[in-house]
Amino acid sequence: MHRGSARWMETVEEDVEEYSWREVVLPHLVPVVSDGAPPELERETGERRRGRDLLVAVDFGPNSKHAFDWALAHIARMADTVHLVHAVSSVHNEIVYDKSRELMEDLAVEAFKTLLVRTKARLVEGDAGKVICREADRLKPAAVILGTRGRGLIQSVLQGSVSEYCFRNCKAAPIIIVPGKEAGEQSVL
């Protein structure tokens, strides 16, 4: 056998990152009637009836809140489920969990009061861009909505941009990047 004719197959193992996450327990917002079953809400009909999954990346910044508000005003509808995702350094830190739970509870209550949408929340350990893309791969949502961090051009170039990372790497859903609130305001003369 010629040395050049032998074909060798090499197996390559992918480096799989550990995936740590923690569900955030949100308050049960739909009132329960006496027989124990939730009341039937009048849902949209036809193709819209099933509802969609929407992923909204949240943190404690004003641009994140603006993106959440924008998603409720322009994208979400009654039968949808809004999945709130917050990237953290450790899902086991109780202080981080409690503070994040408070934020997500407030957003869930607002989403329910505004549109009667369901809300699920999850803390995921890791880099924000990778976390958002990983959750998008898991959920296959109708859209991923996130705000900009509000950093200047130089700072974004040096440190990288979560929204730019998601735009380039999330392939499971359309990415909607909502500019900061101040970017959308225009002065009227």
Side-chain angles (χ1 to χ4, degrees):
M1 177 150 73
H2 285 280
R3 179 174 222 173
S5 66
R7 295 184 187 236
W8 298 97
M9 296 194 66
E10 184 179 333
T11 56
V12 178
E13 292 183 27
E14 286 188 35
D15 183 26
V16 179
E17 287 184 44
E18 188 172 318
Y19 187 45
S20 297
W21 56 272
R22 185 172 177 184
E23 293 293 332
V24 177
V25 180
L26 298 174
H28 186 69
L29 300 174
V30 178
V32 178
V33 292
S34 60
D35 67 356
E40 283 299 311
L41 298 174
E42 196 172 308
R43 300 285 183 189
E44 296 183 35
T45 58
E47 187 63 30
R48 295 179 159 199
R49 186 178 182 111
R50 274 193 6 222
R52 305 160 303 164
D53 290 311
L54 301 171
L55 190 149
V56 180
V58 296
D59 61 20
F60 292 96
N63 290 344
S64 168
K65 174 66 167 90
H66 179 64
F68 171 80
D69 292 341
W70 188 91
L72 290 184
H74 297 284
I75 302 291
R77 52 188 183 221
M78 191 185 297
D80 292 345
T81 300
V82 174
H83 296 266
L84 303 174
V85 175
H86 180 58
V88 295
S89 57
S90 172
V91 295
H92 304 294
N93 183 325
E94 289 305 314
I95 295 170
V96 170
Y97 175 81
D98 290 341
K99 203 68 175 149
S100 297
R101 182 181 43 79
E102 288 174 23
L103 168 72
M104 292 176 160
E105 279 181 5
D106 291 345
L107 296 176
V109 168
E110 183 179 338
F112 184 76
K113 284 181 178 178
T114 305
L115 289 174
L116 298 176
V117 297
R118 296 172 191 94
T119 306
K120 294 184 178 183
R122 183 178 265 208
L123 294 179
V124 183
E125 196 171 291
D127 177 63
K130 291 178 182 178
V131 162
I132 294 164
C133 291
R134 190 179 303 135
E135 286 296 298
D137 285 340
R138 181 182 70 84
L139 289 170
K140 307 286 190 257
V144 174
I145 301 108
L146 64 151
T148 58
R149 190 171 279 176
R151 298 188 304 202
L153 177 64
I154 301 295
Q155 198 173 14
S156 290
V157 168
L158 294 175
Q159 295 177 341
S161 164
V162 172
S163 55
E164 183 178 335
Y165 179 89
C166 292
F167 180 73
R168 296 191 185 286
N169 295 290
C170 291
K171 304 299 182 201
I175 306 298
I176 300 172
I177 301 169
V178 181
K181 192 173 186 176
E182 65 282 346
E185 296 174 352
Q186 296 177 353
S187 60
V188 179
L189 299 177

